[in-house]
Amino acid sequence: MTFFLEVIGTIAFAFAGALVAIDNDLDLFGIECMAVMTACGGGMTRDIILGNTPPMMFRNPVYVTMAVVTGFLTVTIYNKFIQSRYKDRILDMISILDAIGLAIFTIVGMDLAMQLGYTGAFLICAMGVLTAVGGGLLRDVMVNVKPVILTKEVYATASMIGSVFYYFTLQTAIPAVVTTIIALVIIFGLRMWTIIKHINLPVVEKKQQI
Amino acid sequence: MTFFLEVIGTIAFAFAGALVAIDNDLDLFGIECMAVMTACGGGMTRDIILGNTPPMMFRNPVYVTMAVVTGFLTVTIYNKFIQSRYKDRILDMISILDAIGLAIFTIVGMDLAMQLGYTGAFLICAMGVLTAVGGGLLRDVMVNVKPVILTKEVYATASMIGSVFYYFTLQTAIPAVVTTIIALVIIFGLRMWTIIKHINLPVVEKKQQI
Amino acid sequence: MTFFLEVIGTIAFAFAGALVAIDNDLDLFGIECMAVMTACGGGMTRDIILGNTPPMMFRNPVYVTMAVVTGFLTVTIYNKFIQSRYKDRILDMISILDAIGLAIFTIVGMDLAMQLGYTGAFLICAMGVLTAVGGGLLRDVMVNVKPVILTKEVYATASMIGSVFYYFTLQTAIPAVVTTIIALVIIFGLRMWTIIKHINLPVVEKKQQI
């Protein structure tokens, strides 16, 4: 089940990465690189920070392979996709898959940190958020786009709220499976709700300088 | 005492990070992220390079907490600050605090590398400089600004000169505490002196291409 | 022999890094930083990913020293170089040296991963490619240039093809030295051939959006 959700997340992230790459006129290698980095970069960064080397993505290349295949598919269907009358509907679907990825990678990242024996609340929650949003951050930094997760929308914040909930509820008597499902629903729900309602995080309104 | 200076450095760095974030229209999460990265990113990079994982900032979140609080404060006071008649005086004060941070983080980074048992002069000096300037570098790369430390002013260079002095003087009979104070004064002094005198590192004057 | 080729690669990479730095108006520290990062950043990233810390470049600063000297030389000769009637010939020579660096660093990176006891084909090939192209990637990200290796020319791809060949041929009865030479020739040859023939990787032709 986790594996199935991870596959969905990987494909959604890889697709998003490939789209950004194509928008930025990268070549085929660049597109594949961005698909892989978006899908696996968060986990890679987490593993490096935890000293869990070499990172998973290099030891078990199944996710990298999925990302590469997704990259090729994106290249193949891009023009059909962009001209399709279903374009907006497909993009909506991608948003949903991406929100699923956000939720599942947060929980997977936290579980992995706990499996490695770490206990600090901050470390574990940070590893969850990093696993979920690190790939998108790396992707944007690599093509010199101002990172989406730093500028708008409730993205990392949804992951963060869910991670704090998950961490503290795990300490209670509530069965882990229930906790996991609620945490996933919180992250996914917050993300989708703020997309639908166009809710963004506050920015500082700059008054005219005098 | 060291802790007190580290607090000053952390707050000054976090404030600088939050200001850059606001200038680049990041949202609240982005501002906090940049405050934390600027304040703790240098030490994080150093710990990753030394294999000292997970990095300190994740094990003892006191500095992260200070950076987050500084980020919130910066958001709160930004408009008052930017319109204040004391603006320039406050910015001068921030420059001084930042120079203190530069000096203290250089020494802290080197001490940590030596505590971990490393002895190579290059490694230890590099870790000092990286601790001091790595956060600012990460910050600028993340918002796609050309990194300040690579383009102007004597910043990393002051840290580097102080680190070499500190490393070699530590090998002599001079008491460590004296060495530390002199090294701090050298870095702080070089930084402030080059700010006041508007001294920059040389750039290559490009002649017209023929 | 390997050392001699590594020296050539280091100098060529450092020179390329220093040129990009000067083009982007960095100061002397920035130029040196970029020379070192381009020459040693790939190996550094590889070592961090493999948990081989602190990375080689910090333990044995001979390559860093070479990169720094190359950086100073580049600064010294830049204006003479840019106005020279031999400019294009020199740039051609740099391309050749860079292609030698690409080939040698791919093999060196793979050998190092294998010496550390790793066996996975994907990991080993990835470490070869990363050693070869990681420095250039870091360089471009640091000055906010869209990374050359993601946008055009057969660069990482040549490294990748050579690495796969090397990995699988090593498993056969063919002597390692023969395998090494053929792999080097493949990477170098592919790179030079695609430069001369102006062969690029495909990009996605974007049709007008309707």
Side-chain angles (χ1 to χ4, degrees), chain B residues 48-51 118 122-123 126-127 141 144-147 149-153 156-157 160 201-210, chain C residues 22-31 33-34 44 48 53-55 57-59 61 64 75 78-79 82-83 87 141-144:
Chain B
I48 289 175
I49 284 178
L50 293 178
Y118 294 108
F122 176 67
L123 175 63
M127 290 305 104
V141 167
N144 301 307
V145 176
K146 206 167 284 181
I149 69 155
L150 300 180
T151 44
K152 52 178 186 180
E153 301 185 5
T157 312
M160 211 188 300
L201 285 178
V203 297
V204 174
E205 298 293 332
K206 286 178 213 161
K207 288 189 196 142
Q208 193 102 36
Q209 216 166 314
I210 46 171
Chain C
I22 294 172
D23 278 347
N24 280 278
D25 301 311
L26 302 194
D27 65 14
L28 188 59
F29 176 77
I31 295 167
C33 223
M34 296 278 285
M44 185 189 79
I48 287 175
T53 54
M57 66 173 276
F58 294 107
R59 279 180 279 171
V64 172
V75 167
Y78 182 79
N79 276 311
I82 218 75
Q83 294 186 320
K87 191 190 157 199
V141 167
M142 270 167 65
V143 286
N144 302 307

Side-chain angles (χ1 to χ4, degrees), chain A:
Chain A
M1 183 60 190
T2 305
F3 179 75
F4 177 69
L5 288 172
E6 276 190 286
V7 169
I8 290 182
T10 303
I11 292 174
F13 278 26
F15 186 73
L19 283 186
V20 171
I22 294 172
D23 278 347
N24 280 277
D25 301 311
L26 303 193
D27 65 14
L28 189 58
F29 176 77
I31 296 168
E32 292 299 346
C33 223
M34 294 279 284
V36 170
M37 266 299 118
T38 310
C40 307
M44 185 189 79
T45 316
R46 175 205 61 214
D47 288 341
I48 288 174
I49 283 178
L50 294 178
N52 181 30
T53 54
M56 296 282 202
M57 66 173 275
F58 294 108
R59 279 181 280 170
N60 179 1
V62 58
Y63 298 106
V64 172
T65 310
M66 276 191 284
V68 167
V69 171
T70 307
F72 275 116
L73 281 178
T74 311
V75 167
T76 316
I77 63 164
Y78 182 79
N79 276 310
K80 278 217 181 90
F81 158 68
I82 218 75
Q83 295 186 320
S84 160
R85 42 196 282 230
Y86 302 111
K87 190 191 157 200
D88 291 334
R89 211 167 298 174
I90 298 173
L91 283 179
D92 286 351
M93 210 188 63
I94 298 294
S95 287
I96 296 172
L97 296 179
D98 185 83
I100 293 175
L102 184 73
I104 190 77
F105 284 131
T106 305
I107 303 303
V108 165
M110 293 174 70
D111 282 346
L112 191 121
M114 288 184 283
Q115 275 164 33
L116 290 172
Y118 294 109
T119 51
F122 176 66
L123 175 64
I124 290 170
C125 292
M127 291 306 104
V129 176
L130 187 62
T131 308
V133 310
L137 186 60
L138 274 181
R139 173 197 66 206
D140 291 345
V141 167
M142 270 167 63
V143 286
N144 301 309
V145 176
K146 206 167 284 181
V148 177
I149 69 155
L150 300 180
T151 43
K152 52 178 188 180
E153 301 185 2
V154 176
Y155 194 84
T157 312
S159 162
M160 212 187 300
I161 291 170
S163 75
V164 172
F165 170 85
Y166 184 59
Y167 181 80
F168 287 105
T169 321
L170 270 187
Q171 325 288 320
T172 65
I174 302 168
V177 67
V178 177
T179 305
T180 306
I181 291 169
I182 301 178
L184 289 174
V185 169
I186 287 176
I187 301 172
F188 177 77
L190 265 176
R191 174 77 186 128
M192 292 315 297
W193 179 65
T194 53
I195 290 179
I196 293 165
K197 295 282 183 189
H198 297 286
I199 297 171
N200 291 316
L201 284 179
V203 296
V204 174
E205 297 294 332
K206 285 178 216 161
K207 287 188 196 143
Q208 192 102 36
Q209 217 167 314
I210 46 173

Side-chain angles (χ1 to χ4, degrees), chain B residues 6 13 37-47 50 101-102 104-113 123-136 155 159:
Chain B
E6 275 190 286
F13 278 26
M37 266 300 119
T38 310
C40 307
M44 185 189 80
T45 316
R46 174 206 62 212
D47 287 341
L50 293 178
L102 184 73
I104 190 77
F105 284 132
T106 305
I107 303 303
V108 165
M110 292 174 72
D111 282 346
L112 191 120
L123 175 63
I124 289 170
C125 292
M127 290 305 104
V129 176
L130 188 61
T131 307
V133 310
Y155 193 85
S159 162

Side-chain angles (χ1 to χ4, degrees), chain B:
Chain B
M1 184 61 191
T2 305
F3 179 74
F4 177 68
L5 289 172
E6 275 190 286
V7 169
I8 289 181
T10 303
I11 291 174
F13 278 26
F15 186 73
L19 283 186
V20 171
I22 295 172
D23 279 347
N24 279 278
D25 301 311
L26 303 193
D27 66 14
L28 189 58
F29 176 77
I31 295 167
E32 292 299 347
C33 223
M34 296 276 285
V36 170
M37 266 300 119
T38 310
C40 307
M44 185 189 80
T45 316
R46 174 206 62 212
D47 287 341
I48 289 175
I49 284 178
L50 293 178
N52 181 29
T53 55
M56 296 280 203
M57 66 173 275
F58 294 108
R59 279 181 279 170
N60 179 2
V62 57
Y63 298 105
V64 172
T65 310
M66 275 191 282
V68 168
V69 171
T70 307
F72 274 117
L73 281 177
T74 312
V75 168
T76 316
I77 62 164
Y78 182 78
N79 276 310
K80 277 215 184 91
F81 158 69
I82 218 75
Q83 293 186 321
S84 160
R85 40 198 283 232
Y86 302 111
K87 191 191 156 200
D88 289 337
R89 212 166 298 172
I90 297 173
L91 283 179
D92 285 352
M93 210 189 62
I94 297 293
S95 285
I96 295 172
L97 295 180
D98 186 83
I100 293 175
L102 184 73
I104 190 77
F105 284 132
T106 305
I107 303 303
V108 165
M110 292 174 72
D111 282 346
L112 191 120
M114 287 184 284
Q115 274 164 34
L116 290 171
Y118 294 108
T119 50
F122 176 67
L123 175 63
I124 289 170
C125 292
M127 290 305 104
V129 176
L130 188 61
T131 307
V133 310
L137 187 60
L138 274 181
R139 174 197 67 206
D140 291 345
V141 167
M142 270 168 62
V143 287
N144 301 307
V145 176
K146 206 167 284 181
V148 177
I149 69 155
L150 300 180
T151 44
K152 52 178 186 180
E153 301 185 5
V154 176
Y155 193 85
T157 312
S159 162
M160 211 188 300
I161 291 169
S163 74
V164 171
F165 170 85
Y166 184 59
Y167 181 81
F168 286 106
T169 321
L170 271 187
Q171 326 287 322
T172 65
I174 303 169
V177 66
V178 177
T179 306
T180 306
I181 290 169
I182 301 177
L184 289 174
V185 169
I186 288 177
I187 300 172
F188 176 79
L190 264 176
R191 174 75 185 130
M192 292 315 297
W193 178 64
T194 53
I195 289 179
I196 292 163
K197 295 282 182 190
H198 299 287
I199 296 170
N200 291 315
L201 285 178
V203 297
V204 174
E205 298 293 332
K206 286 178 213 161
K207 288 189 196 142
Q208 193 102 36
Q209 216 166 314
I210 46 171

